[in-house]
Structure formats: structure tokens, C-alpha cells
Amino acid sequence: MRATYRREPDAMRLLEKEKLGCFVPMQYKICIRKGKKIRALVPVVHNLIFVHARPSEVQRVKSQVAYLQYITDTRSGKKIIIPDVEMQRFIAVAGSYNDHLLYFQPEELNLSKGTKVRITGGDFEGQEGVFLKVKGARDRRVVVEIQGVIAVAMATIHPDLIEVIK
């Protein structure tokens, strides 16, 4: 969903109060507040919030606040619904708040050029993604994508910890 005008924190509080699952991809950035540099946790993409609930529950909450809107697929015009497995994989990576994660819009990456892999050790053990070269990084990285919404490239992972999925 989209929480317009950078109201992701307000939307998260409301959804948590209603006992609905939600997730906003966040990362640490150096910001200047009151003339001092601080390290703050900020949303990766403003206005983006993932909600895990039944459509009727989402509609009930959405009817209470105008700033919470559905994100629709531009081609079909239908609401974007992400499968649980894909979302859990994305949250396992993006929820680590690792400083070395790189985020991309789906059109910035060509995942068909990469190799489907599974990570066999380390912080991201068991995660699956596509191994490819991404801009902004010297080496190839494992990328986890939510189709048509967002993609995240993991920190550099030693090749011994990666197995190819056929």
C-alpha cells in the first residue's frame, strides 16, 4: 500500500494498533538535525508500506484514513497482492537493516541475466534470489525481488556460501 505524504510511521502505528501485520523497508542514513549529524532509521522508499491482512480488514482500516491507498499494477489496474513466501523472503533480508543492502526499482535490474541461487550459510542462510551484477557494487550480489514493486541486493556473500538452484 501507499501512505501518502510520507506518513509511513503514522500508518504503521495505526495498523499495529488494529493488530494487522505491516512492514516498511528501512535503512540507516546520516541526517543533520539541529545542526548535528545523527544516524537515523528512515524508510527506503517513502510512502511504501506492506500490509499482511485479509482484504476486509484492510478495507475497514483504509476507510478510517484517507492517506492509506492501494498500489495498483499499471498494466492490469488491479491491486498488487504479494505471495506470503515472497514477502517473508524480502522481510528476512530487508528487515536486517544491514548498511550494505542496496535497493532498486524493478525496472533498474534485469533479473533474467542472473542465476537463481540459494544461500547456504551466514546471516541470510536459506534465502533464495538471483545472483547478478548490480550498479553501485563492484561484485555480483544476490537480489531478492518483490515483482513489480522493489528489489534488494544483499551484502557481498562469499561464493562458498551460495549454491545454484536448477
Side-chain angles (χ1 to χ4, degrees), residues 59 73 85 88 93 118 138 155:
Q59 191 58 45
D73 186 340
V85 173
Q88 288 166 353
V93 175
R118 180 180 299 114
R138 285 191 205 171

Side-chain angles (χ1 to χ4, degrees), residues 17-163:
K17 190 176 106 184
E18 296 289 331
K19 297 188 178 15
L20 301 180
C22 61
F23 177 73
V24 174
M26 308 276 271
Q27 68 183 21
Y28 284 100
K29 292 262 177 148
I30 302 298
C31 302
I32 298 175
R33 293 215 179 113
K34 297 181 183 175
K36 293 187 177 187
K37 285 185 180 180
I38 62 163
R39 189 169 176 249
L41 193 60
V42 297
V44 171
V45 178
H46 285 290
N47 305 331
L48 180 65
I49 185 166
F50 295 99
V51 180
H52 186 260
R54 290 187 183 91
S56 59
E57 294 171 329
V58 174
Q59 191 58 45
R60 180 177 50 81
V61 173
K62 186 181 174 316
S63 66
Q64 296 172 14
V65 289
Y67 62 82
L68 207 53
Q69 301 171 354
Y70 293 112
I71 295 178
T72 56
D73 186 340
T74 54
R75 290 168 285 175
S76 68
K78 294 183 179 178
K79 295 178 224 166
I80 295 177
I81 297 173
I82 300 157
D84 284 345
V85 173
E86 202 174 314
M87 196 67 229
Q88 288 166 353
R89 188 174 296 138
F90 181 79
I91 290 173
V93 175
S96 70
Y97 305 128
N98 186 311
D99 289 338
H100 301 293
L101 296 178
L102 297 174
Y103 291 88
F104 298 95
Q105 295 298 318
E107 61 273 4
E108 293 181 275
L109 299 174
N110 184 356
L111 296 180
S112 62
K113 289 183 176 180
T115 307
K116 189 115 168 97
V117 296
R118 180 180 299 114
I119 299 170
T120 59
D123 294 342
F124 300 117
E125 184 174 356
Q127 298 305 318
E128 295 177 4
V130 179
F131 194 53
L132 76 151
K133 175 84 173 91
V134 296
K135 70 178 184 182
R138 285 191 205 171
D139 43 9
R140 299 187 328 158
R141 294 188 178 201
V142 177
V143 176
V144 175
E145 181 195 33
I146 291 184
Q147 191 70 40
V149 181
I150 192 170
V152 59
M154 296 180 197
T156 304
I157 295 171
H158 196 278
D160 292 348
L161 300 176
I162 297 173
E163 72 177 8

